[in-house]
Structure formats: C-alpha cells, structure tokens
Amino acid sequence: MLRNSVTRFGARLRTAGDAWAGQAVSQPTRGRAALLGLGIGLGLMLSGCQDAASPTKGVLPFTGPMVLAISWQPAFCERAQRRRECRTQTADRYDANHFSLHGLWPQPASNTYCGVSADQERLDRDGKWRRLDMERLPQALWDRLRSTMPGTRSNLHRHEWVKHGTCYSKTAETYYAHSLGLMDALNASSVRALFGKNIGRSLRNSEIRAAFDKAFGAGVGDRVRVSCRRDGRRELIVELTLGLAGAISAPNMSAADLGALALAAPTTRPGCPVGIVDPAGFQ
C-alpha cells in the first residue's frame, strides 16, 4: 500500500503556490512569503498529521515524503533588497556562492503546524515571525544555521520550525541538525561547484539535473525541480527543490546517504528550462 501511495503521490506533482516554493497559498504577503508559485506545488494523495491512515502518523522524526527547499540567495535578494540578510550580503559571504537553506517540508502540503497553538499559527500567517516560539539552539548548531540560512536575520528559522519543523521532529534542534546535514552534503558536492563556476552565466535544468546524477547517483536529478523568477530582462534561478523520503542520518550525511533519500522519493517535472546564476549584489 505504501508503494502504491507513493506512486500516486509522484503522479500528482503540480505547480501551485506556497510562499517561495509551492505549499499552501494562505501565507503572509511580503518577503519570501510573497513569492508564490515559484517552485513545485504538491497536490498529494498521502495524508497529513491528522490522517489516521498515514504510515508515519505520530512517528518523529518524520520519514515520509519530504521536500528540501534550496535557495540561491543572491537571486532572492534582487526582489527583497530591504531585508536584513540582503542588505548585508557581500561577495565573500558564504551564501554568495553556496546554496542556502529555505526549509525541509514534510509532505503532503497540508502537513503543517503540528501541535501548534492557534495563536502561534495566526502570528506565523500574519508574518510576525519574531514573536514565534522556538527553543534556543546549541551555539555550534546556531552558528552553522546562521551561515547556511541567511534568512535567520529575518526570523525565517522561526517560521520554518513552526510551520514545517513541528511536523518533522519533536525539537527544533533535531529539525535543523538534519536539515543542515542535507545542506552540508549538497554544498560539498559538484552541484555546488557547478553553480559556483557559472555565477553570472546561464544554466539549463538538464545541466543541473545531470550534476545531481553525477554527485548523488543516477536518477537523483529526476527528483529536482528548478524555479526561476524574472528580474527585468533576466531570468534568475532562485530555488531548487529536491524530493526526499526516509530516515535522515545527521549530522554526518554522505553523498550516498542523500542519494538514497532522493531515490526513495517520486520524480518531478524539471521546472524552469534555463536561468542565470545571479552574483551577489543588486544588479
């Protein structure tokens, strides 16, 4: 039954709108949350936290289908120049030439706000992220998160924990340790190198998918979707989304580990055909 459910899940991948990459439309209408319809939308047949038929109901950390949302920060900042993380970005900062963490999203799209109070959910939907509750992370983990998720400067980490992380694990520490394990493997790969050496140039989705195959195993590229956004006359790559499923082994995530997680997920459409790898700084 699980295999059949996952097959149906893959067959129903569609473009829809979440803040930034394709979840529910009921999001704040500014910053990252205003960037609707850029990534993959996930209309799924598997159920969420409240579905008693779900094979992962109540089991945390979550091991069902997930989406890792990966930002290219310079492109995001072109349309968010007033945000703190964008005002302070420099060409030598980590996120200028490495992938940034947007979030890790348990699926389906309705699998959000697990055990979150109505007041906290309302604050999140209203974009009042600074007022969201989240445990204090160990300093070493916080330092890594600040580097890999520049949106922490605008409290993106609180939003991602309350909306998505609460459906992944019991603690924010586990959620972000596992998310960063995935990002570390990605940023240590030839996919990151491909983006780094093509800053200011265009990449086709076929090149990006081939790089994932080379780095993580044949077929992994079929789980990658490319999202672009128009900036004047330029089409910019703003985000990649990677489908995953299974138990994440963190913090020491190998390329083989990430590849196995991806191959357990359904395939998706390639998305934006070609886009520019934006350099840091407002163009």
Side-chain angles (χ1 to χ4, degrees):
M1 281 296 293
L2 177 57
R3 178 172 296 181
N4 291 338
S5 296
V6 171
T7 300
R8 293 195 297 272
F9 158 62
R12 291 174 61 91
L13 290 176
R14 295 290 185 269
T15 301
D18 177 43
W20 216 181
Q23 301 270 326
V25 176
S26 54
Q27 287 277 46
T29 56
R30 56 184 177 272
R32 287 183 191 271
L35 300 173
L36 299 179
L38 287 174
I40 63 173
L42 294 141
L44 307 174
M45 296 196 60
L46 293 180
S47 56
C49 284
Q50 293 77 29
D51 187 345
S54 173
T56 56
K57 176 179 170 59
V59 178
L60 298 177
F62 185 81
T63 58
M66 295 170 273
V67 170
L68 178 66
I70 305 151
S71 297
W72 189 256
Q73 189 70 12
F76 166 75
C77 284
E78 294 290 2
R79 295 282 294 276
Q81 297 183 10
R82 298 181 64 182
R83 295 182 76 88
R84 184 176 301 177
E85 63 268 30
C86 297
R87 295 197 312 267
T88 59
Q89 188 183 50
T90 60
D92 59 353
R93 201 169 75 182
Y94 185 81
D95 56 283
N97 56 15
H98 289 76
F99 294 114
S100 295
L101 173 65
H102 178 184
L104 180 63
W105 303 335
Q107 296 302 306
S110 59
N111 197 2
T112 55
Y113 300 112
C114 295
V116 174
S117 70
D119 286 345
Q120 285 283 295
E121 182 174 345
R122 185 161 44 252
L123 287 171
D124 184 65
R125 293 184 184 278
D126 288 345
K128 298 176 181 179
W129 296 349
R130 186 177 181 181
R131 295 171 59 187
L132 297 175
D133 294 336
M134 197 190 91
E135 71 197 68
R136 185 180 181 88
L137 299 176
Q139 189 63 47
L141 181 62
W142 174 243
D143 290 343
R144 290 173 60 209
L145 187 63
R146 287 271 291 176
S147 178
T148 307
M149 185 187 240
T152 53
R153 294 160 179 82
S154 297
N155 294 294
L156 176 64
H157 60 299
R158 293 179 180 271
H159 160 69
E160 291 296 320
W161 162 247
V162 167
K163 183 174 183 182
H164 301 289
T166 52
C167 298
Y168 177 80
S169 62
K170 295 180 180 179
T171 68
E173 180 178 354
T174 297
Y175 177 63
Y176 282 117
H178 288 194
S179 298
L180 290 175
L182 296 167
M183 293 299 300
D184 287 348
L186 178 59
N187 276 319
S189 75
S190 55
V191 179
R192 204 292 311 172
L194 175 71
F195 272 67
K197 68 184 179 183
N198 283 284
I199 292 175
R201 303 188 184 98
S202 294
L203 283 176
R204 300 192 66 81
N205 60 26
S206 57
E207 296 176 272
I208 297 169
R209 288 182 140 204
F212 271 88
D213 283 348
K214 181 178 179 181
F216 302 109
V220 172
D222 292 335
R223 278 78 180 168
V224 176
R225 185 175 176 88
V226 181
S227 295
C228 296
R229 183 182 59 204
R230 197 78 182 168
D231 182 56
R233 295 183 177 180
R234 303 184 305 154
E235 192 80 9
L236 304 180
I237 299 172
V238 292
E239 186 152 285
L240 308 178
T241 45
L242 174 64
L244 305 169
I248 297 173
S249 59
N252 299 315
M253 173 73 61
S254 69
D257 292 333
L258 192 152
L261 290 167
L263 290 173
T267 60
T268 188
R269 296 178 181 179
C272 172
V274 62
I276 295 171
V277 181
D278 197 37
F282 305 140
Q283 307 303 306

